[in-house]
Amino acid sequence: MANSSENMEKLLKWGIANSDPDRLRAETEQLAAPSNAEAAKEKLAWLDAMHAADREWEDALLAVQNHSELERDTVLGALRAVRFFVEQIDMASNLAKRGAVKQVLELVQHSDEEIRMEAAFVLGTALAHNELVQKKCMEEKAIEILVAQSSSEKSPQVRKKLLLALSALLRHNRVGQYVFLRKHNGASVLGDFLRDPATSVRRKAAHATLHLLRDGSDDEQREFAPDVVQPMMGTLARDLDEDTAEAVRHFRALRCATAADPARMQALGDVLDRT
């Protein structure tokens, strides 16, 4: 038993004397970390995923640009894929650079309701906070197309998406706002949206109207406000029971228009105060 204890003690002393903490730590980290082969495999999988996404984008964009030659379901699927990609501002800019805005606007006027709705949705998504897409849409006369299409559109879902695209096109776009208001009777167009039978369309129109009022100069507000205050008042009065808080927020933002028609705005204020 004594010899066994002595042997164990000698073995322990030898192990301590011959140990290399740095080497042991390095070996431990190497075991914990993935091998070079595993790291390379992961990188390859990531690159494959990126290439697959690039191929999907290219295929979808090509389908949109050649929509007249393709089946309806193929075009619809391509539009949905494009909408997913253009949520990223760089991809939205790429849509404009590749000249595909023209084809998306063509599809906004398509005979198929789902295709019209998806195309308008793509446009509204790509336009969000993107000056390059706004500029390209202006070159392609998008305001004229969206206004004309909205006036004849029967589907409330499509009308809402058309208004989404129009609102995004006009946001912080002084040239677009001028063209819309002066050349396309924009106040009247918004008035029609504000009287829309669909609540979702009226509310979107209220937001679009407020953004225009906020962006405009004092002179533009005074000229623009009389044409939209009455339909705006009607919109809020109709929708109070559904979302009073939102209506109050709209009303407060419209204070810039009180000089245009104080009596009407005071009447709306009285309605809101009673709720």
Side-chain angles (χ1 to χ4, degrees), residues 60-72 74-80 82 95 100-123 145-146 149 153 158 162:
L61 198 60
L62 190 63
V64 167
Q65 290 178 307
N66 295 278
H67 62 85
S68 61
E69 305 171 10
L70 302 174
E71 297 287 336
R72 178 255 188 198
T74 301
V75 175
L76 189 59
L79 283 169
R80 287 170 176 161
V82 168
L95 180 80
V101 167
K102 176 180 174 61
Q103 287 79 32
V104 175
L105 284 167
E106 290 173 358
L107 291 168
V108 164
Q109 306 165 78
H110 199 276
S111 59
D112 185 275
E113 179 181 321
E114 279 193 89
I115 287 179
R116 291 197 306 274
M117 181 172 67
E118 198 60 54
F121 202 178
V122 166
L123 202 60
I145 292 171
L146 292 171
Q149 190 63 35
E153 182 57 59
V158 179
L162 290 168

Side-chain angles (χ1 to χ4, degrees), residues 33-264:
S35 66
N36 290 338
E38 290 175 338
K41 185 177 180 181
E42 290 179 1
K43 185 175 182 179
L44 185 61
W46 180 81
L47 288 172
D48 285 344
M50 294 297 294
H51 288 316
D54 287 343
R55 286 193 297 271
E56 184 179 358
W57 165 250
E58 291 294 336
D59 289 346
L61 198 60
L62 190 63
V64 167
Q65 290 178 307
N66 295 278
H67 62 85
S68 61
E69 305 171 10
L70 302 174
E71 297 287 336
R72 178 255 188 198
D73 288 349
T74 301
V75 175
L76 189 59
L79 283 169
R80 287 170 176 161
V82 168
R83 175 167 57 84
F84 170 78
F85 281 107
V86 298
E87 289 178 356
Q88 304 174 53
I89 192 167
D90 289 343
M91 300 304 285
S93 297
N94 189 259
L95 180 80
K97 292 174 183 177
R98 299 283 293 277
V101 167
K102 176 180 174 61
Q103 287 79 32
V104 175
L105 284 167
E106 290 173 358
L107 291 168
V108 164
Q109 306 165 78
H110 199 276
S111 59
D112 185 275
E113 179 181 321
E114 279 193 89
I115 287 179
R116 291 197 306 274
M117 181 172 67
E118 198 60 54
F121 202 178
V122 166
L123 202 60
T125 304
L127 278 162
H129 312 295
N130 195 312
E131 292 183 12
L132 179 61
V133 182
Q134 284 184 333
K135 181 179 179 181
K136 192 63 180 178
C137 282
M138 294 298 295
E139 293 174 2
E140 298 292 346
K141 302 186 183 304
I143 292 177
E144 180 179 342
I145 292 171
L146 292 171
V147 168
Q149 190 63 35
S150 66
S151 67
S152 60
E153 182 57 59
K154 303 300 183 185
S155 165
Q157 290 82 10
V158 179
R159 288 198 302 274
K160 182 179 177 181
K161 293 297 186 288
L162 290 168
L163 183 54
L164 169 73
L166 184 60
S167 178
L169 175 55
L170 299 178
R171 186 77 57 86
H172 306 311
N173 179 359
R174 302 289 289 145
V175 174
Q177 292 168 15
Y178 177 87
V179 171
F180 175 65
L181 294 172
R182 308 287 186 182
K183 297 186 177 181
H184 294 288
N185 197 13
S188 177
V189 173
L190 283 175
D192 291 340
F193 276 121
L194 287 163
R195 299 182 186 93
D196 196 279
T199 300
S200 62
V201 176
R202 294 196 302 271
R203 295 207 176 167
K204 186 61 188 175
H207 283 288
T209 302
L210 290 173
H211 284 301
L212 277 176
L213 285 169
R214 288 166 178 163
D215 283 352
S217 65
D218 290 343
D219 288 340
E220 287 172 328
Q221 289 176 11
R222 280 191 288 272
E223 182 177 347
F224 177 39
D227 292 325
V228 297
V229 166
Q230 185 174 18
M232 176 72 89
M233 184 176 73
T235 295
L236 300 185
R238 290 173 68 181
D239 296 337
L240 278 178
D241 57 332
E242 296 184 25
D243 196 338
T244 303
E246 184 176 358
V248 171
R249 185 169 68 252
H250 289 335
F251 173 66
R252 288 174 178 168
L254 268 175
R255 287 191 182 280
C256 62
T258 55
D261 196 334
R264 286 179 181 168

